Amino acid sequence: MRYPELSYWLSTVDEPLAPRPSLPGDTLADVVIVGAGYTGLWTAYYLTAADPTLRVVVLEAEIAGYGASGRNGGWCSALFPTSLPALARRHGRDAALAMQRAMHETVREVGRVVAAEGIDCDWAYGGTVVLARTAAQLDRARAEVATARAYGLDDGDLVLLDATEASARCAAEGVLGGTYTPHCAAVHPARLVRGLARAVERRGVTIHERTRVTAVRPGAAVTPAGTVRAPVVVRATEGYTPGLPGLRRTVAPVYSLMIATEPLTAATWAAIGLAARETFADHRHMVIYGQRTGDGRLAFGGRGAPYHFGSRVRPAYDREPRVFAALRRTLSELFPVLGPDVPVTHTWGGPLGVARDWAASVGLDRATGLAWAGGYVGDGVGTSNLAGRTLADLIRGEDSDLTALPWVNHRSPRWEPEPVRWLAVNTGLKIMQSADRAELRTSRPSRRAATFTRLLGH
């Protein structure tokens, strides 16, 4: 497999992508982790930081960063897939606010580790601007800020922007206003995950790549090459989780696709903005996201690819020409300075994990020794760090502020069997796409899209 072709990010890492040695046979560990993405590597990092004597083994089907960790939009954000009101309904207002504050701190923590470990990943703490380009989007921006205020968050966390203020940060076409939060950094995600892999190896962690786990059970991770036996087994497989026996309905793997332009001129960037390398999006229903990369490209992505029957994950699904074309159109609509034929050099995609109740979770079943984290709904760059710190405390039996957060040991319901799952997910995607088109035509909010969003708990 040609790993650099999986994403723009993996094509521009600062090291060869030669796989590390595979598992040579049966072995013993204190903790075995399945998956060498952010979640697995952060868990290994904090476990060995707290107790260097622990024998930690990480098993990876391909290479570190093969999945979403090497293909995402590069937002290390404080976004959490469950809204503050939804968290408050389930766990209370104080717990909801504690979760949000923990996410704010997580962005700073990742930046601290990047500096401490010398990871060159184009880290830029520029925050996020989310634009409003229709009246309905502006209503949603106002509502988001009002909700933040109701939970005690102030202008230092989230602020409403008028048209001039929003355009000063990101000069997209037709901006009416927006929101800004400082709690986000733009990052080169593949360099981050690859640097993290080197950091955990320096701490004594063993990573076996090209070692596919075929079963996870109490006390063991099973592979064709051998079994790693350990009192604690951590599942850190996110969108690839349905490929493990008995876990097909745990998360739905939904694809997100991206494009990257050639490096843009200084004059073009002067017209677009993002001078502080703010990450950007807008308040439409169907998620879009972008960043100004460290080498001056515009990396831009969004949802819209179909969910595949039976939660199948295939390399062929990474590429949907229809979605890539739609992303190019959207980018040129946002920034006419790019022209109708956006100069795209890279296209890629991959699956992310969505739990049935839209709730990310982390936990440890002490009776079985099975631990897990995931269901990030595309917000995993930051959330995975919080998961790794939390798992390290749970595994070591430490009671802490992290282990008291409301997502700990949350059990999401399973997704419905097929064909209901296929119909529900793809119908929801179409409803949101239709709602966005209608809002652009009429500037009226869609009740159907809002209802679908509430049903998913977002």
Side-chain angles (χ1 to χ4, degrees), residues 201-253:
E201 286 181 313
R202 290 194 294 269
R203 293 173 179 270
V205 173
T206 301
I207 302 173
H208 291 297
E209 297 180 329
R210 299 299 297 269
T211 302
R212 186 175 300 278
V213 172
T214 56
V216 171
R217 61 189 187 216
V222 181
T223 84
T227 297
V228 180
R229 302 187 185 281
V232 176
V233 182
V234 178
R235 172 174 56 77
T237 46
E238 191 56 346
Y240 298 88
T241 300
L244 291 168
L247 299 175
R248 184 170 297 277
R249 291 164 55 193
T250 301
V251 297

Side-chain angles (χ1 to χ4, degrees), residues 84-108:
L84 277 168
L87 280 171
R89 287 194 297 271
R90 297 171 187 172
H91 306 284
R93 184 181 186 279
D94 290 347
L97 186 56
M99 188 77 226
Q100 187 60 73
R101 292 299 190 196
M103 290 300 305
H104 292 167
E105 177 56 34
T106 291
V107 180
R108 292 186 286 270

Side-chain angles (χ1 to χ4, degrees), residues 317-449:
Y317 301 160
D318 297 345
R319 301 190 175 276
E320 288 278 351
R322 173 185 59 82
V323 178
F324 292 140
L327 290 173
R328 292 171 84 117
R329 287 194 304 272
T330 301
L331 201 53
S332 63
E333 290 165 3
L334 287 167
F335 306 111
V337 68
L338 296 175
D341 299 315
V342 180
V344 168
T345 59
H346 296 77
T347 59
W348 72 96
L352 53 90
V354 182
R356 179 61 184 85
D357 57 359
W358 227 256
S361 64
V362 58
L364 169 66
D365 183 337
R366 297 195 183 280
T368 63
L370 295 177
W372 77 91
Y376 304 131
V377 197
D379 295 326
V381 181
T383 315
S384 59
N385 173 273
L386 181 59
R389 286 185 285 142
T390 304
L391 282 170
D393 284 354
L394 289 171
I395 291 166
R396 294 172 52 251
E398 296 288 331
D399 290 328
S400 67
D401 290 343
L402 299 183
T403 61
L405 290 172
W407 72 324
V408 174
N409 288 324
H410 172 78
R411 298 280 189 173
S412 297
R414 296 199 301 166
W415 279 94
E416 293 80 0
E418 299 290 20
V420 176
R421 183 161 75 252
W422 182 89
L423 287 168
V425 176
N426 286 320
T427 298
L429 291 173
K430 289 180 179 179
I431 287 173
M432 289 189 286
Q433 288 171 326
S434 176
D436 286 330
R437 288 192 295 267
E439 286 184 5
L440 286 172
R441 289 193 304 268
T442 67
S443 195
R444 294 176 183 171
S446 166
R447 291 183 180 178
R448 284 202 305 165

Side-chain angles (χ1 to χ4, degrees), residues 272-349:
I272 292 173
L274 305 177
R277 288 192 57 213
E278 297 96 333
T279 56
F280 73 94
D282 70 14
H283 281 279
R284 70 185 68 197
H285 297 289
M286 185 65 73
V287 172
I288 61 167
Y289 51 92
Q291 69 144 288
R292 177 177 180 168
T293 67
D295 64 351
R297 301 170 189 265
L298 210 165
F300 184 70
R303 310 290 193 263
Y307 161 80
H308 298 279
F309 193 90
S311 293
R312 289 193 296 266
V313 173
R314 302 283 188 275
Y317 301 160
D318 297 345
R319 301 190 175 276
E320 288 278 351
R322 173 185 59 82
V323 178
F324 292 140
L327 290 173
R328 292 171 84 117
R329 287 194 304 272
T330 301
L331 201 53
S332 63
E333 290 165 3
L334 287 167
F335 306 111
V337 68
L338 296 175
D341 299 315
V342 180
V344 168
T345 59
H346 296 77
T347 59
W348 72 96

